[in-house]
Amino acid sequence: MRVVALGGCVVVAFGMSFFMEENVPPWTVVVCAGLFVAAFLLGRRMAPGWPAIMFAAAGFIGFTQLIVVGLAVALPWFLGRVAGQQAALAAAEVEAAHLRERTRIAHEVHDTLGHELSLLALQAGALELNLPPEHQQAAAQLRVTASAATERLSALVFLLRDGEPPAVADLRDLVDRAVAAGMRVEFTVEGDVPATVERTVHRVVQEALTNAAKHAPKSLVEVKVTSGEGSTVVEVLNEAGLRRGAGSRLGLVALRERVRIAGGTLRVSRDEGRFELVATVPHTGEL
């Protein structure tokens, strides 16, 4: 389409050149100005190839035609081409700066939090060996949780550094870890969750379990994932709980935005002492 538009500019300039053999009518200046702007804008968005051929072909007809086509179309096209390349180079430099900053943050997170989590796992292992038998299981669970957190931190650091998403843990594994930590969870899945929405569904279930653990730790959490023809629905139901810590809604706010970006909806309600979360994620447009 852009080649056709540039060809039209060349044809107009070529035809106009015949009116400029002996003098330059005022209207031709206006037309040349319009051609100059159009050719400049086309040059910012086109690669060389056909444009050079068209300019050369027009120039072989005559000297006047070469001058008009060169000044009204060819020159602004090449100027636009240079401007487009400079803009692309500037954008690449900005992206490179972002990547360098992201890599720096990734290394800093890994060096600080990774070290602390490793120490936590080591201390939990020492407690497991020295505590009475009735408390060893809790210490062992703390050690396993700290080790798993270290692994997930490494995956997130990889994402931050290289831009590739870490592997998503299986939903059943996510629920099993919550149960092992002492939560009561009733989990059912109907249908196969497509890979395109797996990450968002995983994030919804994870945030729902985290929310229940914070505010209703003794409540039975009912998690149901239903994958149908065009969408996957996640339903979570548990007691509302009485504890409301500072910033307790931030996780749900971030989750609502995550679901919205994926093209879905998130509904949260607290009625009659029950907390209900329903997320609907369409099977298109996943991040």
Side-chain angles (χ1 to χ4, degrees):
M1 192 65 177
R2 292 168 183 165
V3 173
V4 174
L6 184 62
C9 292
V10 172
V11 170
V12 171
F14 180 78
M16 187 177 57
S17 66
F18 291 99
F19 295 93
M20 304 171 66
E21 292 285 352
E22 297 180 357
N23 54 50
V24 180
W27 64 269
T28 58
V29 177
V30 177
V31 176
C32 283
L35 293 176
F36 191 99
V37 173
F40 179 84
L41 295 176
L42 289 171
R44 288 180 60 92
R45 297 169 175 82
M46 291 179 64
W50 279 105
I53 297 175
M54 287 188 288
F55 300 150
F60 281 126
I61 302 300
F63 180 76
T64 303
Q65 286 70 37
L66 175 63
I67 295 298
V68 175
V69 173
L71 294 179
V73 183
L75 176 61
W77 185 90
F78 283 113
L79 292 176
R81 175 71 180 157
V82 172
Q85 290 176 335
Q86 290 179 341
L89 180 60
E93 291 177 350
V94 171
E95 180 63 21
H98 288 168
L99 289 175
R100 288 193 297 270
E101 180 64 14
R102 193 164 66 179
T103 300
R104 185 191 66 79
I105 294 173
H107 285 301
E108 187 173 336
V109 168
H110 183 271
D111 293 341
T112 55
L113 292 182
H115 176 69
E116 296 298 330
L117 287 173
S118 298
L119 289 179
L120 178 61
L122 182 62
Q123 292 167 356
L127 285 174
E128 184 181 357
L129 295 175
N130 297 296
L131 286 176
E134 60 269 20
H135 299 303
Q136 287 181 355
Q137 183 178 359
Q141 182 57 46
L142 176 61
R143 174 179 54 79
V144 172
T145 301
S147 299
T150 303
E151 293 178 0
R152 287 194 291 275
L153 175 63
S154 298
L156 290 174
V157 167
F158 182 81
L159 168 64
L160 188 62
R161 185 185 63 202
D162 297 333
E164 293 295 331
V168 178
D170 183 77
L171 286 175
R172 173 60 64 180
D173 180 60
L174 180 65
V175 173
D176 288 344
R177 289 203 304 269
V179 172
M183 296 184 66
R184 295 190 298 141
V185 183
E186 184 179 291
F187 179 61
T188 57
V189 178
E190 296 181 2
D192 296 326
V193 179
T196 54
V197 300
E198 185 179 5
R199 188 169 303 279
T200 297
V201 171
H202 180 275
R203 182 68 183 87
V204 171
V205 175
Q206 183 181 49
E207 178 59 31
L209 292 175
T210 301
N211 188 70
K214 285 181 179 178
H215 309 300
K218 303 300 182 182
S219 170
L220 172 65
V221 184
E222 301 174 30
V223 180
K224 182 178 181 181
V225 179
T226 306
S227 188
E229 186 69 23
S231 64
T232 295
V233 179
V234 181
E235 300 172 88
V236 182
L237 185 66
N238 60 268
E239 293 179 7
L242 298 176
R243 296 192 298 138
R244 296 292 299 276
S248 61
R249 295 181 60 86
L250 292 180
L252 291 177
V253 170
L255 183 62
R256 189 185 302 277
E257 179 64 13
R258 172 75 180 250
V259 174
R260 185 193 67 79
I261 291 175
T265 58
L266 179 70
R267 177 172 58 84
V268 175
S269 63
R270 295 177 177 85
D271 296 323
E272 300 179 356
R274 303 285 284 176
F275 174 85
E276 183 180 17
L277 181 149
V278 179
T280 303
V281 185
H283 292 170
T284 56
E286 170 68 354
L287 294 181

